[in-house]
Amino acid sequence: MAPGAPSSSSSPILAVLLFSSLVLSPTQAIVVYTDREVHGAVGSRVTLHCSFWSSEWVSDDISFTWRYQPEGGRDAISIFHYAKGQPYIDEVGAFKERIQWVGDPRWKDGSIVIHNLDYSDNGTFTCDVKNPPDIVGKTSQVTLYVFEKVPIRYGVILGSVIGGVFGVVLLLLLLFYLVRYCWLRRQATLQRRLSAMEKGKLHKSSKDSSKRGRQTPVLYAMLDHSRSTKAASEKKSKGLGESRKDKK
């Protein structure tokens, strides 16, 4: 091999890398979500929700397809299709003029509404989503049950009971903290009053002691004055007595 010529051993490596990147690279399948079942009353309407997750951005070529399999039937028929930004509704089947498109591909929503329900609408509805290049994935199914009057489901009753119990507990906790707050506030008020009374007593006692302290020197001065006056009077009377004796 001449110097400077490319190595022939690098060609198989490049081929393997190119093959692995194109063929063996892992791809994530699109995932579609619907309710497991929905209930509706005769003559009412019901919304069949459909959403999806995709590893790709929402494509302009995104499509939604709804299929319907009657209760007890084997074959599923297409009743709705959305493509190129336009909804296409079945105009000859059992759902003629009863389907309404309420989805929004920008929000990954492919929901539809079925109006004027009838017992014959019981069955399974399948939502299929394609978001090129993400087109591989499983569909999702929702079962529709139509009743004369929609029954209250066990989950709704259980949810109501749990919600009621939670509400009662929350109310009791609120009352407890309210009573505790009022009690603590009352205690703080009483403590402030007692402190004010104690301060008043101390101030009064200090006033009395200072008053007594000021009165004590006055008393002593009065006593000294009375003593000196008494001594002077005694001395005076004594001098007068002696002078009388001398005169005699």
Side-chain angles (χ1 to χ4, degrees), residues 2-3 9 24 40 53 61 67 73 79 87 107 118 123 132 134 149 154 164 168 180 199 215 228 237 239 242 244-245:
S9 61
L24 300 180
W53 178 89
D61 296 325
R67 297 182 180 87
I79 60 173
W107 296 98
D118 191 75
D134 196 357
K149 190 178 285 188
Y154 173 75
V168 171
R180 187 170 179 268
K199 288 180 180 179
Q215 287 177 354
S228 60
S237 61
E242 289 178 354
R244 286 174 182 173
K245 286 180 181 180

Side-chain angles (χ1 to χ4, degrees), residues 23-42:
V23 179
L24 300 180
S25 59
T27 57
Q28 294 180 339
I30 192 170
V31 183
V32 183
Y33 304 96
T34 61
D35 297 320
R36 188 172 63 179
E37 62 180 49
V38 293
H39 297 169
V42 175

